[in-house]
Amino acid sequence: MTRPFLRRPEALLGGAILLALILIAGFAPLIAPGDPLAIAGRPLIPPFTDAGLPLGTDRLGRDLLAELIHGARTSVAVGLSAALVAVFAGMTVGTAAGFAGGAIEAALMRIVDAFQIVPGFLLALAFVSVAGPSLWVVVLAIALGAWTGPARLARARVLSLRESDFVAAAKVMGMSPAEIAFRQIMPLALPPVLAVASVIVAAAVLTEAALSFLGLGDPNSVTWGAMIAEGRNQLRSAAYLSIIPGIALVLTVISTYLVGEALTDSLTGRDKR
């Protein structure tokens, strides 16, 4: 799997950007120590005019580079956490539905259908509006709209595996249905779900930015969406306030997509064509 992945220049470029982003997010307190929302200088210093403030300041005099770095931490945390919750929930429901069959499968898949009818962003918007904005509420809100895809993929894979010889052997050995489903079959159903995990991460980053732009993000965390919203009132005089976090957001989503496409091709063998 790694050789086809490493032969794709777009995958290497996306992976390099993502690795840099993860390192920046992980070492944010060391790269930009202190409170990123603290006043660092006079308001609206343009980028590249002050050596101590390379990206300038916002309308309140806060260091834009420090906000950008800590915003990366929020985006990475939300994207990965939402993807993990969505994949775990989807795998659990999809595996249970595919292995149980009958009325249990029908009931679980109707729940999947009900969630899939509602657009993910509207579901997240409603959930955060009711539960209140916080980082973990945002993660759960995004996962609520993202777990249905993994559930359908897991169910389809389990349906093709449940009649296999190793399942029959496990039944003869006296293993319970739950053990067979979640210990024997679920790991084999995981690869196709992991292939779409990158799409969930990218969508989660965008959804979190959109919620923050609307003022529904965690008020105690720096987010790129809030930075873009903060700068929209100065688009004519200081457009960089929105452009810089916007570029960071675009690069993150595109690099995640490129890595995800390469991983999907490697897992499905499409690179062999």
Side-chain angles (χ1 to χ4, degrees), residues 129-174:
S129 298
V130 172
S134 71
L135 200 60
W136 285 109
V137 168
V138 170
V139 168
L140 291 176
I142 295 171
L144 275 177
W147 69 274
T148 55
R152 288 190 174 279
L153 283 173
R155 171 182 170 270
R157 181 63 176 154
V158 171
L159 286 175
S160 67
L161 290 171
R162 69 180 184 181
E163 303 300 331
S164 301
D165 291 339
F166 75 90
V167 174
K171 290 179 180 178
V172 171
M173 292 172 61

Side-chain angles (χ1 to χ4, degrees), residues 37-238:
L37 298 178
I39 305 300
R42 61 182 176 83
L44 300 178
I45 297 176
F48 313 119
T49 59
D50 187 327
L53 300 165
L55 295 183
T57 58
D58 63 10
R59 66 183 183 88
L60 297 178
R62 297 175 297 196
D63 185 354
L64 202 63
L65 179 59
E67 290 186 273
L68 195 70
I69 291 171
H70 285 267
R73 196 177 197 189
T74 302
S75 292
V76 169
V78 169
L80 293 180
S81 298
L84 284 173
V85 174
V87 167
F88 176 78
M91 286 295 301
T92 302
V93 173
T95 301
F99 189 78
I104 294 177
E105 179 185 13
L108 290 176
M109 296 315 295
R110 294 300 76 77
I111 294 174
V112 172
D113 292 339
F115 274 89
Q116 209 160 28
I117 289 173
V118 184
F121 179 71
L122 292 181
L123 189 61
L125 189 65
F127 186 83
V128 175
S129 298
V130 172
S134 71
L135 200 60
W136 285 109
V137 168
V138 170
V139 168
L140 291 176
I142 295 171
L144 275 177
W147 69 274
T148 55
R152 288 190 174 279
L153 283 173
R155 171 182 170 270
R157 181 63 176 154
V158 171
L159 286 175
S160 67
L161 290 171
R162 69 180 184 181
E163 303 300 331
S164 301
D165 291 339
F166 75 90
V167 174
K171 290 179 180 178
V172 171
M173 292 172 61
M175 294 183 67
S176 67
E179 285 183 304
I180 297 173
F182 294 107
R183 291 182 58 184
Q184 302 295 322
I185 296 181
M186 182 187 278
L188 298 177
L190 188 59
V193 176
L194 291 180
V196 301
S198 61
V199 177
I200 298 176
V201 172
V205 171
L206 280 176
T207 302
E208 186 278 327
L211 291 172
S212 297
F213 183 84
L214 296 174
L216 292 174
D218 188 346
N220 299 315
S221 301
V222 181
T223 65
W224 289 340
M227 292 174 67
I228 295 172
E230 180 74 19
R232 63 183 169 178
N233 294 324
Q234 285 82 34
L235 281 178
R236 291 187 178 180
S237 59

